[in-house]
Amino acid sequence: MKDIIIIGRGLAGATLSFHLIELGIKHRIVDRASLSLSSKIAAGLINPIVLKRLKMVQGAERFIKAVPDFYKRMEAATQTKFYHETFIKHIFANPGEINLWEEKKDIPFHSKYLKGNSKNPWTNVNAPHGIGTIQGLGWLDTKSYLSAHALFCERNNVSIDNLTIQKSEVLSLAESGHQVILCNGHLFKDWNLIPAGIFTPTRGEVITVKADDLPTDSILHSSIFTLPLGSGHFRVGATYHWDNLNDQVTAEGLNRLKTDLEKVYTDTYEVIQHEAGVRPNIKDRKPIMGQIGSNLYIFNGMGSRAALMTPFLSTVLIDFLTKNIPIPPEYDVHRFDQ
């Protein structure tokens, strides 16, 4: 194979690299980590059910099947813990949500995850309509995962160049015979290498809080989520904004997160950290991957579901590169071609 260069080391780039190292395929990475914080602040929730409408994520059967084995293999290889099995306690907003839940939980796929509803067991959680349980889920500690990947690269002689790379340099590398794979998230949008309008990135803000009485054994979900991190700390998120597409936090975002948290949690808490990142969403909410030029490829657009999707989709891209196996049309970047 020609030399492989991965541009970007968020969840997409790191997961692809992990697979390449396992296969003994040489590559190097170019990544200026400070340019995008999306993967580093992500909740890393691995959930095949869209909670808003209780729909199955398209392709979820394949995604979820690949998850535990891959992350546990990488934990063993790196001797680092970053994958956690968990479940969600969803706070019903009204009786209509309960009716939808009861309807969906008998569907064969959904029945693996959606379980019965129960009364609110927590004194300081506001849930007058009760709680629904979603089981069989996981979450990825993305900061630990990316740190473990960096050390794994060092041990396996995979270089990570801390550089800002321009579009002209990328095209030059491809023209000189390198296989360049663009995993640089929302930063790719401004390079105009695919039709305009495909990318619809959103800025998300999260906070880390210290609280004494939030549930520590599960993820609480309503209009926001509370993810237990240990030692009484929780990640709370996330907002969705379509303007100011950068990693800067805002007073508006902080107020929104605090307001939504206080709707469901009635005790005191302390905000420890406030962070923001830009999700690389695609207009049809499915990833984009494939060849976009001579020796130029893209692996991008997982949005907030990268922890769920990338273990499987990385193997799809590698099969395309090494065996010329076509990419499924629902993920192929050329599905938008006119």
Side-chain angles (χ1 to χ4, degrees):
M1 290 186 64
K2 300 174 184 176
D3 291 341
I4 291 177
I5 302 175
I6 296 174
I7 309 298
R9 198 179 68 86
L11 292 182
T15 304
L16 180 62
S17 171
F18 266 132
H19 278 293
L20 292 174
I21 293 171
E22 279 194 303
L23 294 169
I25 298 175
K26 293 183 179 180
H27 62 286
R28 64 187 177 96
I29 300 169
V30 177
D31 176 61
R32 176 59 64 87
S34 60
L35 292 179
S36 177
L37 300 179
S38 178
S39 288
K40 299 167 190 65
I41 72 163
L45 184 58
I46 298 167
N47 174 20
I49 303 290
V50 181
L51 292 174
K52 189 173 183 179
R53 297 179 182 85
L54 297 182
K55 290 184 177 180
M56 181 186 75
V57 174
Q58 184 172 347
E61 302 101 324
R62 292 172 290 181
F63 299 149
I64 202 72
K65 184 177 179 180
V67 161
D69 179 63
F70 172 75
Y71 287 129
K72 289 177 181 180
R73 283 201 326 269
M74 294 306 100
E75 285 186 326
T78 61
Q79 298 183 321
T80 306
K81 179 67 177 174
F82 42 71
Y83 173 68
H84 306 269
E85 294 178 345
T86 190
F87 52 94
I88 287 176
K89 293 292 188 178
H90 174 70
I91 297 174
F92 292 118
N94 51 59
E97 272 198 353
I98 300 174
N99 293 336
L100 179 62
W101 187 281
E102 290 298 316
E103 173 189 330
K104 293 285 188 177
K105 75 181 180 66
D106 293 327
I107 297 173
F109 179 85
H110 290 62
S111 66
K112 301 175 187 177
Y113 304 99
L114 300 185
K115 301 304 171 183
N117 58 76
S118 60
K119 293 182 178 180
N120 175 20
W122 301 294
T123 303
N124 295 314
V125 171
N126 183 28
H129 299 287
I131 303 284
T133 300
I134 310 177
Q135 68 175 25
L137 311 181
W139 74 275
L140 184 69
D141 182 338
T142 58
K143 290 181 180 178
S144 295
Y145 180 72
L146 294 173
S147 296
H149 172 257
L151 292 174
F152 196 58
C153 284
E154 185 178 341
R155 295 210 315 262
N156 287 276
N157 299 312
V158 174
S159 66
I160 302 174
D161 299 325
N162 184 25
L163 301 172
T164 301
I165 192 165
Q166 305 298 326
K167 173 184 173 181
S168 59
E169 297 172 283
V170 167
L171 295 178
S172 178
L173 286 169
E175 288 169 3
S176 65
H178 299 283
Q179 289 188 307
V180 182
I181 306 174
L182 299 172
C183 304
N184 54 337
H186 78 99
L187 300 174
F188 173 79
K189 179 176 69 72
D190 297 326
W191 286 5
N192 299 315
L193 292 174
I194 59 176
I198 291 177
F199 261 89
T200 57
T202 58
R203 175 170 49 87
E205 298 186 42
V206 298
I207 54 177
T208 300
V209 305
K210 183 171 176 56
D212 292 331
D213 290 307
L214 276 169
T216 58
D217 62 346
S218 60
I219 297 170
L220 195 64
H221 178 267
S222 57
S223 58
I224 45 94
F225 63 80
T226 66
L227 173 66
L229 302 174
S231 302
H233 288 72
F234 300 81
R235 182 163 293 151
V236 179
T239 63
Y240 286 81
H241 306 276
W242 284 263
D243 60 349
N244 299 325
L245 297 177
N246 55 53
D247 294 338
Q248 301 300 312
V249 298
T250 65
E252 175 192 4
L254 177 61
N255 289 335
R256 175 62 183 271
L257 289 167
K258 292 171 66 177
T259 297
D260 284 354
L261 176 60
E262 290 162 14
K263 287 179 182 177
V264 297
Y265 182 58
T266 59
D267 208 339
T268 58
Y269 63 92
E270 177 186 0
V271 177
I272 304 297
Q273 192 171 24
H274 182 198
E275 299 168 292
V278 181
R279 310 175 188 88
N281 294 327
I282 306 302
K283 67 179 182 179
D284 65 358
R285 294 298 184 263
K286 294 193 288 285
I288 51 173
M289 46 195 300
Q291 188 166 6
I292 57 174
S294 178
N295 295 321
L296 191 60
Y297 306 85
I298 188 166
F299 185 52
N300 207 325
M302 272 55 108
S304 61
R305 299 191 183 275
L308 169 67
M309 294 180 171
T310 52
F312 172 76
L313 290 180
S314 292
T315 65
V316 172
L317 182 63
I318 291 170
D319 283 346
F320 174 70
L321 293 171
T322 62
K323 304 173 186 177
N324 203 31
I325 297 176
I327 290 171
E330 61 267 31
Y331 308 129
D332 195 323
V333 63
H334 295 293
R335 67 184 182 271
F336 296 105
D337 294 351
Q338 299 296 325

